[in-house]
Amino acid sequence: MSVNQQAHTGPPYGQPQPGYQGYQQPAYGGQPLPAVPQSQYGAYNGPMPGYQQPVPPQGYFPSLGFPSKGSPVSLNSDTSSLAPNFIGSLRAPPTSGAPPPASGASLPSGHLAYSQFGHGDVQNGIPASAAPMQRPPASQPFLPGSAPTPVSQTSTFQQYGHPPASVQQLSNHMAGMTIGSTTASAPPPAGLGYGPPTSVPPVSGSFSATGSGLYTPYTASQGPPPTSVSQGLPLAQPPFPGQPISTQRLPTQVPGFAPPPSSTGIGLSSYPPTTGAPRPPTMPGPPLPGQTLAGPPASQPNHVSSPPPPPSTMAGPHPGPPMSGLHGPPPPTHPPQPGYQMQQNGSFGQVRGPQPNYGGAYPGTPNYGSQPGPPPPPKRLDPDSIPSPQLNELPPQQKPRHRIDPDAIPSPIQVIEDDRSNRGSEPFVTGVRGQVPPLVTTNFLVKDQGNASPRYIRCTSYNIPCTSDMAKQSQVPLAAVIKPLATLPPEETLPYLVDHGESGPVRCNRCKAYMCPFMQFIEGGRRFQCCFCSCVTEVPPHYFQHLDHTGKRVDFYDRPELSLGSYEFLATVDYCKNNKFPTPPAFIFMIDVSYNAMKSGLVRLICEELKSLLDYLPREGNMEESAIRVGFVTYNKVLHFYNVKSSLAQPQMMVVSDVADMFVPLLDGFLVNVNESRTVIASLLDQIPEMFADTRETETVFAPVIQAGLEALKAAECAGKLFIFHTSLPIAEAPGKLKNRDDKKLINTDKEKTLFQPQTSFYSNLAKDCVAQGCCVDLFLFPNQYLDVATLGVVTYQTGGSIYKYAYFQLETDQDRFLNDLRRDVQKEVGFDAVMRVRTSTGIRATDFFGAFYMSNTTDVEMAGLDCDKTITVEFKHDDKLSEDSGALLQCALLYTSCAGQRRLRIHNLSLNCCTQLADLYRNCETDTLINYLAKYAYRGVLSSPVKTVRDALINQCAQILACYRKNCASPSSAGQLILPECMKLLPVYLNCVLKSDVLQPGPEVTTDDRAYIRQLVTSMDVAETNVFFYPRLLPLTKADVDSDSLPAAIRNSEERLSKGDIYLLENGLNIFVWVGVNVQQGLIQNLFGVSSFSQISNALSTLPVLENPFSKKVRSIIDMLQVQRSRYMKLIIVKQEDKLEMLFKHFLVEDKSLSGGASYVDFLCHMHKEIRQLLS
């Protein structure tokens, strides 16, 4: 609002425009719209003028506001409890190898291999050759630390606020996968980063020294060993020959030394100490097993923290006396080199970020949705600096292969926690172009000020290349994952519904884009210039409004379409089929009553549930009852239709046995209002299980069932949804009859793709007819054997429906999951007869689409139904140059019929930045969205290419993305270093999860149907769902605080993080596993399972027993919290350690090698490094 303007001159919503009293304007303050159910939302008062940054209201705690995606970090720094996850035992040597690296192997002794920094160096200052970069961090805090040694350090001096660093580097023997060693984890040393900056004089030389015993010789195949970094440097104490330092992680910190806080290029003591923090006692050596640890809590979420249990609980070598070296004094250390920053926290090094649930330091200034500032200098980590013992120091039986320390590579848990700490507390305000939103795992509030919320649209990059050449060079796909009807948390306002009367929404004359905040009004407000195609259009007289002195309309804040990123228009009759307003949709329940369905108790269960569920059909806003009508069909080889007209005393059944020519035998009485026909419907649902109780019919039909539903909707002239409950392969003589073509021998051959393709084109043609009518199909499958999901799912997939699959359905174990899925599916918000189009500003256009829909042309995405969980992924390509000044715009317009039969347009707008520098592209990418797109791209690829080709293409594309960054954006360094962009440092670990998924690399136990099912499921998942599906969440339940609402801090998905004495929960969006270690205390087992010993725990439990104790209540509340967050009800599976089900559980520990041949994270990182080096050479 302009300063000198007294008040709005435009009328508020709801008052007729002056001079246009002819039709009533809709009211935002709550007066009902004509013939429209009243909106359930309060008056829209508009955001504050000038995009004032909002402050959270008093008493507002974002972490408690809506179902949490993870634990809020509690900031109490005196926590004395130990960090939540002991990772277990000695690490075994790696099980795979790769050729040695080519570069850097043959340097003569005495020459430094990597620029001016020594092998052991962590170079953090601004590299001599690097020009200063312009922006701050992107996602992680810097941390102090000292030269890396295989120790886990605590760090308490952290600077939050700005998210951080741009680069991480991990190096040389990577390609040979030979770094690190067999290490037993020890608790972290106490005492880092507390006291005043160290008083020890800096070491001369260009690198910090550590004992020579900490450097790794090359193995014979790798050429001469690197120069020992400690030569010629003063040592604090001589190394201990003959003592294997690495058998236990040793503290780096020599008593009395404290590293200086992190500060780029600042001399050693130029930083004030953290005030008020006493220095805890430092420990001269690691405690023995069983000893307690003094000092501050560990600062990393996925490392050793509680004291190691007695050797018997370790999963590693046989219990025995402690190994040599356990009591040895720490290796020599030196204070870091002045002028170079300490190693920063990128989860790449040994110093880790703040431990979730423990206090961090001052959080920095709030960011309020502004762009992060300039990036810090790149971080590097040489594997050479990941210490491991000299081979000649080890007794002969202990010479391990070298291996990378898993704690030294990027940790998803760390990145997620850092984003939560940095961005979870402030609202994400969408007023600024090209802002990267917080991660999907962060709980945050969105304030719409002109761009659509990230809950509706997420992009792979928020800063896109100006030219197609640059886009090709980077290989970063430009894509948006759009969820047009996404559910919002209760604290956020749903899109406002705008009614422009009979004239309909104001649109551009040429490209037909809808009015939005980016349109430019000119000539005093009489015309507007389109932001998409630049065409100038007259403003309709009723829409005219004066401009203020800034060129903004004076009613800017009164109109959602001018001030918000997302809003809805009421569509006029021109937007309706056959120029007729639609009637409310119908739901038809079609139940398989063949022998299998009756025998399992399924039919009785469905009928019982429907009696109560029909009262919860979706309804608009504040309507008394749902407008949706319902109908019922049962079938086996023939179809039975039911007349449930309210005037009948009993329902009537009509049988259609001519399935080859399907028709609906009755019109009146088939689709009815639930309240009017309540008694007849109840009577029918009671009778169905009795009528077919003695059936012997095992064969079923399938296509005629869909045809029957389609014909019924056609006859009623409405859109709707079919809920089909089906149990077996349709082999009965009928259209769409299928044969069993399951063939495991095709796996890994060129014909494997046929397993994902439908075996007949019949269903694709049927799907086309369904979409034309707005008939959406939801399919509930209960197979006991091969069912051909790839074919049966075609209609569901192309009509925008959902598939639910319950293999080997058993009433006692699967009933909860099925009923919860059914309830949610029937009740959720859904739009019918939907068409979506994505418009873009000049320079890019939408070229490719992924999801559950049908396309009859190249631009319109058609869906018979679109619900609140479905996403459509759109890829964009350049067709011209873009300019940095104007950026790029997307507008997603969805035309649909609401569940009350109202035709609406939902509009989402998003503005992106454009760049001429590749560094800007890489700084504004979103890895989770990128993985969502890559998975969908690969999962579509298996329909037409051999799986191996698809996997290789994925690896190659990611190697090109990272090689381009390395070549064009990273400061020069040895080829032996792996350098990852800050916001893509998780790309390798997540990509490896996609490659190891059942679709692309099935284990022997995965069925063809499972693969087809997962393939269809992932194709319409949103970013949060793919994130947890590919990298499951693993929570240590025994570390949960029973008195707080928060979740325990997650740990990394690897077996070595599990302790035999703990209970863990793993969730991936489809299943929840509760893993119980063999040494769990009896009291915990009693409290959670109600039995007295490990051996009595039953694997058959599908829910945890309800027991009245704090631990049981806490675990059940965690499970309930997780269930609410997911779109499907997850199956609970109890896994006892060393039990047969443990194989299934281990399949989801995605950082480890998989049984089906998938690489471990460490091995895959090495492989990616090799690929990148090949591309660069």
Side-chain angles (χ1 to χ4, degrees), residues 548-567:
D548 67 13
H549 68 287
T550 64
K552 229 181 221 178
R553 283 172 56 124
V554 292
D555 62 352
F556 178 81
Y557 291 111
D558 294 333
R559 290 194 177 272
E561 73 273 24
L562 299 182
S563 53
L564 298 177
S566 301
Y567 42 86

Side-chain angles (χ1 to χ4, degrees), residues 310-347:
S312 63
T313 63
M314 293 190 169
H318 191 69
M323 305 199 184
S324 59
L326 204 58
H327 319 280
T333 53
H334 272 282
Q337 172 61 25
Y340 288 114
Q341 194 173 330
M342 307 303 305
Q343 177 173 328
Q344 298 158 1
N345 164 34
S347 346

Side-chain angles (χ1 to χ4, degrees), residues 433 466 882-888 912-916:
R433 183 175 83 188
C466 282
L882 294 164
S883 92
E884 280 187 285
D885 298 339
S886 53
L912 302 173
N913 286 328
C914 297
C915 58
T916 51

Side-chain angles (χ1 to χ4, degrees), residues 343-473:
Q343 177 173 328
Q344 298 158 1
N345 164 34
S347 346
F348 231 101
Q350 264 56 22
V351 187
R352 201 66 26 38
Q355 164 64 37
N357 300 338
Y358 293 117
Y362 166 65
T365 47
N367 216 340
Y368 279 112
S370 58
Q371 282 294 70
K379 342 181 179 161
R380 300 215 172 143
L381 182 73
D382 289 346
D384 296 344
S385 67
I386 305 175
S388 75
Q390 296 285 15
L391 285 189
N392 56 8
E393 295 174 353
L394 291 177
Q397 76 279 16
Q398 250 184 292
K399 295 198 177 179
R401 294 248 332 262
H402 245 40
R403 97 166 246 211
I404 296 167
D405 175 6
D407 286 324
I409 55 183
S411 154
I413 306 301
Q414 189 61 47
V415 171
I416 287 168
E417 281 306 330
D418 290 345
D419 193 73
R420 275 186 193 146
S421 324
N422 295 335
R423 306 196 65 182
S425 54
E426 302 299 344
F428 178 69
V429 182
T430 71
V432 181
R433 183 175 83 188
Q435 274 187 108
V436 183
L439 298 181
V440 284
T441 42
T442 298
N443 222 349
F444 61 99
L445 204 66
V446 180
K447 291 212 157 57
D448 184 341
Q449 291 195 354
N451 281 295
S453 159
R455 303 191 206 288
Y456 294 123
I457 308 184
R458 276 188 178 264
C459 294
T460 51
S461 178
Y462 288 80
N463 200 333
I464 60 180
C466 282
T467 63
S468 61
D469 290 348
M470 192 171 151
K472 283 195 190 92
Q473 186 186 358

Side-chain angles (χ1 to χ4, degrees), residues 372-652:
K379 342 181 179 161
R380 300 215 172 143
L381 182 73
D382 289 346
D384 296 344
S385 67
I386 305 175
S388 75
Q390 296 285 15
L391 285 189
N392 56 8
E393 295 174 353
L394 291 177
Q397 76 279 16
Q398 250 184 292
K399 295 198 177 179
R401 294 248 332 262
H402 245 40
R403 97 166 246 211
I404 296 167
D405 175 6
D407 286 324
I409 55 183
S411 154
I413 306 301
Q414 189 61 47
V415 171
I416 287 168
E417 281 306 330
D418 290 345
D419 193 73
R420 275 186 193 146
S421 324
N422 295 335
R423 306 196 65 182
S425 54
E426 302 299 344
F428 178 69
V429 182
T430 71
V432 181
R433 183 175 83 188
Q435 274 187 108
V436 183
L439 298 181
V440 284
T441 42
T442 298
N443 222 349
F444 61 99
L445 204 66
V446 180
K447 291 212 157 57
D448 184 341
Q449 291 195 354
N451 281 295
S453 159
R455 303 191 206 288
Y456 294 123
I457 308 184
R458 276 188 178 264
C459 294
T460 51
S461 178
Y462 288 80
N463 200 333
I464 60 180
C466 282
T467 63
S468 61
D469 290 348
M470 192 171 151
K472 283 195 190 92
Q473 186 186 358
S474 75
Q475 285 286 315
V476 175
L478 306 175
V481 180
I482 306 174
K483 195 176 184 182
L485 298 179
T487 319
L488 299 184
E491 300 87 341
E492 293 177 22
T493 317
L494 287 163
Y496 291 99
L497 181 61
V498 181
D499 182 2
H500 283 315
E502 288 174 20
S503 58
V506 178
R507 302 176 70 175
C508 165
N509 270 346
R510 184 198 289 158
C511 71
K512 300 291 182 239
Y514 294 87
M515 180 53 67
C516 72
F518 312 119
M519 297 289 190
Q520 192 69 45
F521 286 88
I522 53 175
E523 296 175 27
R526 284 188 292 281
R527 305 168 85 189
F528 69 90
Q529 183 168 29
C530 177
C531 52
F532 295 95
C533 70
S534 304
C535 172
V536 174
T537 301
E538 293 284 331
V539 173
H542 71 87
Y543 198 71
F544 173 76
Q545 189 50 274
H546 295 285
L547 308 184
D548 67 13
H549 68 287
T550 64
K552 229 181 221 178
R553 283 172 56 124
V554 292
D555 62 352
F556 178 81
Y557 291 111
D558 294 333
R559 290 194 177 272
E561 73 273 24
L562 299 182
S563 53
L564 298 177
S566 301
Y567 42 86
E568 294 199 312
F569 291 120
L570 204 53
T572 58
V573 76
D574 310 334
Y575 293 87
C576 303
K577 254 187 208 160
N578 311 327
N579 279 11
K580 264 181 18 195
F581 279 114
T583 47
F587 282 1
I588 303 177
F589 297 91
M590 315 186 90
I591 306 167
D592 173 349
V593 289
S594 64
Y595 177 73
N596 276 346
M598 296 305 303
K599 183 187 68 176
S600 65
L602 177 64
V603 174
R604 188 174 296 278
L605 183 68
I606 293 168
C607 292
E608 279 304 311
E609 178 61 29
L610 286 179
K611 285 183 204 168
S612 54
L613 187 54
L614 294 177
D615 289 332
Y616 296 98
L617 298 175
R619 54 176 183 257
E620 203 76 64
N622 47 10
M623 286 169 64
E624 286 294 307
E625 60 175 52
S626 173
I628 293 173
R629 290 166 299 160
V630 297
F632 302 89
V633 172
T634 55
Y635 67 93
N636 39 43
K637 268 204 317 201
V638 297
L639 276 76
H640 323 105
F641 292 81
Y642 297 93
N643 183 346
V644 281
K645 200 167 161 181
S646 55
S647 56
L648 294 172
Q650 282 294 319
Q652 295 171 348

Side-chain angles (χ1 to χ4, degrees), residues 23 52 169 343 385 398 510 536 629 662 695 750 958 992 1000 1173:
Y23 64 86
Q52 293 169 357
Q169 314 177 336
Q343 177 173 328
S385 67
Q398 250 184 292
R510 184 198 289 158
V536 174
R629 290 166 299 160
M662 189 39 68
T695 185
D750 283 356
C958 288
N992 190 33
L1000 299 181
R1173 288 172 69 167

Side-chain angles (χ1 to χ4, degrees), residues 588 630-633 639-645 648 650-656 662-672 684 708-709 711-716:
I588 303 177
V630 297
F632 302 89
V633 172
L639 276 76
H640 323 105
F641 292 81
Y642 297 93
N643 183 346
V644 281
K645 200 167 161 181
L648 294 172
Q650 282 294 319
Q652 295 171 348
M653 171 162 131
M654 299 187 186
V655 181
V656 176
M662 189 39 68
F663 67 98
V664 180
L666 73 163
L667 287 180
D668 193 26
F670 179 63
L671 293 178
V672 296
L684 170 68
E711 292 302 323
L713 294 176
K714 268 187 188 163

